[in-house]
Amino acid sequence: MFPELTGFLFPNDVHIHWSMMIVMYPYITGLVAGAFIVSSLYHVFGAEELKPLGRFALATALCFLAVAGLPLLNHLGHPERGINIIVTPHFTSAMAGFGILYASYFIILLFEVWFVFRVDIIETAERSTGFKRGLFAALALGVYDTSPEARSLDRNIIRILAAIGIPMACLLHGYVGFLFGAVKANPWWSTPLMPVIFLFSAMVSGIALLVILYQVAMKLKGVPIDRLAIAALARWLWLFLIMSLTLELLEIMMLAYERAEEWEVIGHLLTHQLSFSFISLQMVGGGLIPLILLGIVVLMGHYMDDRIRNTLTMVSSLLLLLQVLAMRWNVVIGGQMFSKSMSGFRETYVPGFFEKEGVLAAVAILFIPFILLAIFERVLPTFRHLEREEGSV
Amino acid sequence: MTSENPLAHSKHVFRAALLLLAVVVALILGRLFFVPETWGEYGFYRGAAVGEHRAEPVRFGGDEACEPCHDAEYAEHAAGVHAPVRCELCHGPVALHADLEEGEKLAEMPVRRGRELCELCHRAQAARPASFPQIDVREHVLENGGEVTPDACFDCHDPHSPY
């Protein structure tokens, strides 16, 4: 189909080159950054009420980080050359930043996971025989030291790794926002607010994901949902949502109030091409409604039945996962819907379902981390420390 | 008790540090295998890419390439108002269609008999130079007493020489 075009477009404005995959990439890294921050709130800042999720959040971050590069590989014409970005680091290109940031963040995350789960690994090794024992002994690096001294050393190292991890997570996600923010020919992208907006929406999506996964996991295990944990998650979620919406609106309001020439294009874009994904999803359905629902949970939580609190945070989180996806879509696709001439538009963009970079591929990629998480949970249960503690009390 | 020795319980940390060192060394050694051979020859890219692009076969041949086999269309086209529009722009690159050296046809040449081909260039757009012939398709067809169909343009115009 020939795309519906209006006004003046340069020949290279006609196609949407940055496809669904480039929408999924910041979406997934955002989930990683958000989940990691939750685990760090506990490990670094001592938010005790998040303890039930400390390990789970870390495992979630790892599983999503493991697939974060997949959409990019699928986008590349030569995926086998993807490794080049890791082995040829470069400091003058934001895009090349991926290699350095991804590799070092992955290493930090792996080591943090190892220190957090070390005692469990050792216990599993001691409990099992044969191949499994060998595997877990290797995972424990052959040292079976679970003495209180060793554990307190672990705790200190975890705190340091988690603390280094925070700026790393912010960088890994912030650089994606930077990539867009630094495209000076595109007024819908080019703003120093972009990395910050990306970061806050990342926190929102990551926490929302944990709210959902945590509640589902507890249901599956038949363990009661921790009231303080949900209340704390709802508070953080509300805070980050307020920040994120404020910044997103601030950007638009600046443009609208300045009435510079780019508003002609962006105003049209937001009310026409993106009216559903921006106004209905990003601002109202996924923004305002969760803002109100979470506000109720946070402000009137004391009078609230657990079931209601859980349901309200669950619903808000589902909406917020959509909101952040819509936000990524609006940035990535929206930025390619108008001409750099500022006087032409592409009217619609609907990704194909079976295309190489289409909807099915996006859903499949988003599904993999959940499988990884299920495997992780089988190998190293992330909620066992709770059961153990209850048993010991 | 070994509690005086602060390093007594840090054996696993040393192992982990060793592992980290191994990873870093592996990354550095990995460069030997993974960095493409001609990397950095001219700049921050694979030098061989330049040669590869140069070695790509030429696929477009210009209008003259069609002449030996389609002299009628060639003559008609060259004499008409569409003379500045290359044959391959509306059809496709000659290399996919004919072997110029052997002088034989290789595959079908695309024929885009539809009005979107013409609209690509002639649909009225505010930002096109005013001197370029452009039309509002519906208006134009109805004005001239035609019917708005997917290949309406061909009822009255010959693509090779529209008048």
Side-chain angles (χ1 to χ4, degrees):
Chain A
M1 256 303 285
F2 198 69
E4 188 65 34
L5 309 169
T6 47
F8 182 80
L9 293 99
F10 298 121
N12 61 354
D13 284 331
V14 175
H15 299 286
I16 304 277
H17 291 290
W18 284 8
S19 63
M20 275 296 279
M21 291 300 121
I22 310 301
V23 176
M24 294 317 287
Y25 172 62
Y27 190 53
I28 295 179
T29 51
L31 294 172
V32 175
F36 184 82
I37 294 299
V38 171
S39 89
S40 286
L41 283 174
Y42 166 65
H43 287 300
V44 182
F45 299 108
E48 280 296 324
E49 63 279 15
L50 291 178
K51 185 172 184 186
L53 280 110
R55 293 166 157 229
F56 182 65
L58 207 56
T60 309
L62 184 66
C63 293
F64 277 82
L65 187 66
V67 303
L70 274 189
L72 298 183
L73 286 179
N74 185 34
H75 178 68
L76 290 180
H78 274 286
E80 81 282 3
R81 292 185 190 156
I83 184 80
N84 286 355
I85 203 168
I86 307 252
V87 295
T88 57
H90 199 273
F91 297 94
T92 60
S93 147
M95 221 175 259
F98 171 87
I100 302 161
L101 292 171
Y102 186 85
S104 35
Y105 183 55
F106 207 114
I107 291 173
I108 289 182
L109 197 53
L110 268 181
F111 276 95
E112 189 180 341
V113 167
W114 186 73
F115 278 106
V116 167
F117 287 94
R118 202 178 63 86
V119 173
D120 293 59
I121 294 173
I122 293 170
E123 284 173 359
T124 314
E126 283 170 341
R127 250 189 291 113
S128 36
T129 52
F131 173 72
K132 193 172 172 193
R133 188 189 180 99
L135 181 74
F136 278 83
L139 271 182
L141 298 182
V143 183
Y144 282 19
D145 188 350
T146 56
S147 62
E149 291 89 341
R151 287 188 192 207
S152 97
L153 185 59
D154 283 354
R155 267 195 297 280
N156 286 333
I157 292 176
I158 290 167
R159 196 172 307 130
I160 293 169
L161 283 177
I164 304 173
I166 296 172
M168 287 301 300
C170 293
L171 275 175
L172 179 66
H173 193 67
Y175 103 92
V176 186
F178 185 91
L179 277 184
F180 289 97
V183 178
K184 69 178 162 203
N186 190 321
W188 179 224
W189 290 344
S190 170
T191 154
L193 277 184
M194 200 53 98
V196 193
I197 294 180
F198 264 62
L199 262 182
F200 279 109
S201 52
M203 306 301 161
V204 170
S205 64
I207 300 175
L209 176 72
L210 284 178
V211 167
I212 296 166
L213 283 179
Y214 173 62
Q215 295 205 21
V216 171
M218 292 299 101
K219 275 269 140 57
L220 289 180
K221 287 184 188 301
V223 178
I225 294 168
D226 188 301
R227 173 192 307 160
L228 291 179
I230 285 292
L233 284 174
R235 267 199 313 277
W236 286 109
L237 195 52
W238 199 46
L239 172 70
F240 284 122
L241 176 61
I242 292 173
M243 305 278 237
S244 152
L245 277 181
T246 309
L247 289 169
E248 283 164 21
L249 274 174
L250 182 64
E251 195 211 341
I252 308 284
M253 275 163 59
M254 283 294 227
L255 284 167
Y257 190 75
E258 284 178 357
R259 295 262 151 177
E261 71 268 22
E262 57 261 28
W263 180 245
E264 297 282 315
V265 199
I266 292 170
H268 182 89
L269 192 70
L270 296 180
T271 47
H272 292 82
Q273 282 89 342
L274 302 182
S275 60
F276 176 70
S277 57
F278 183 77
I279 300 175
S280 311
L281 277 182
Q282 191 181 335
M283 285 297 143
V284 181
L288 187 64
I289 292 175
L291 187 75
I292 297 171
L293 294 184
L294 287 172
I296 296 173
V297 173
V298 173
L299 299 175
M300 306 203 270
H302 288 303
Y303 314 102
M304 200 172 271
D305 183 65
D306 279 359
R307 291 255 295 282
I308 299 178
R309 181 186 304 107
N310 293 345
T311 314
L312 285 182
T313 42
M314 186 78 166
V315 171
S316 311
S317 298
L318 286 168
L319 289 174
L320 285 172
L321 279 186
L322 264 183
Q323 194 260 356
V324 177
L325 186 62
M327 179 261 170
R328 309 289 192 236
W329 171 276
N330 292 334
V331 170
V332 177
I333 303 296
Q336 301 172 82
M337 297 283 279
F338 60 90
S339 167
K340 312 295 174 296
S341 69
M342 302 294 144
S343 49
F345 291 96
R346 206 193 137 104
E347 288 303 327
T348 50
Y349 173 66
V350 184
F353 191 79
F354 292 111
E355 271 168 21
K356 175 184 165 233
E357 301 184 34
V359 177
L360 185 66
V363 173
I365 288 176
L366 197 56
F367 193 62
I368 300 173
F370 294 99
I371 300 174
L372 293 181
L373 202 55
I375 297 173
F376 192 106
E377 185 65 33
R378 298 212 76 173
V379 179
L380 291 169
T382 51
F383 294 108
R384 198 202 277 155
H385 61 306
L386 303 177
E387 292 156 24
R388 188 198 297 140
E389 238 160 55
E390 269 157 16
S392 65
V393 168
Chain B
M1 281 296 282
T2 48
S3 59
E4 327 62 86
N5 181 359
L7 295 182
H9 290 282
S10 52
K11 195 169 163 200
H12 64 286
V13 182
F14 283 110
R15 294 250 171 117
L18 215 60
L19 185 67
L20 177 63
L21 194 69
V23 169
V24 172
V25 170
L27 271 180
I28 294 171
L29 286 182
R31 278 179 57 91
L32 294 178
F33 298 100
F34 288 112
V35 175
E37 235 167 70
T38 55
W39 188 272
E41 205 169 65
Y42 308 114
F44 192 70
Y45 58 90
R46 209 164 44 90
V50 178
E52 276 166 31
H53 282 304
R54 202 165 44 210
E56 297 248 350
V58 177
R59 298 214 268 169
F60 288 88
D63 294 359
E64 291 69 31
C66 320
E67 191 189 2
C69 307
H70 300 290
D71 52 346
E73 281 84 3
Y74 179 81
E76 189 197 3
H77 172 257
V81 284
H82 263 170
V85 185
R86 301 277 70 84
C87 314
E88 289 164 307
L89 211 152
C90 293
H91 291 288
V94 69
L96 303 181
H97 164 62
D99 185 331
L100 294 178
E101 267 159 38
E102 301 289 325
E104 60 190 33
K105 185 180 145 185
L106 297 174
E108 288 305 329
M109 188 61 136
V111 178
R112 295 152 70 190
R113 197 191 144 88
R115 62 174 224 229
E116 63 271 24
L117 172 66
C118 318
E119 288 175 19
L120 185 66
C121 298
H122 289 294
R123 183 174 51 188
Q125 278 196 10
R128 284 210 166 112
S131 58
F132 187 81
Q134 36 192 320
I135 52 157
D136 179 309
V137 174
R138 267 191 84 76
E139 220 170 75
H140 174 76
V141 174
L142 295 177
E143 223 168 53
N144 286 298
E147 244 182 281
V148 188
T149 56
D151 54 0
C153 315
F154 303 93
D155 295 344
C156 306
H157 298 287
D158 175 343
H160 298 140
S161 179
Y163 286 145

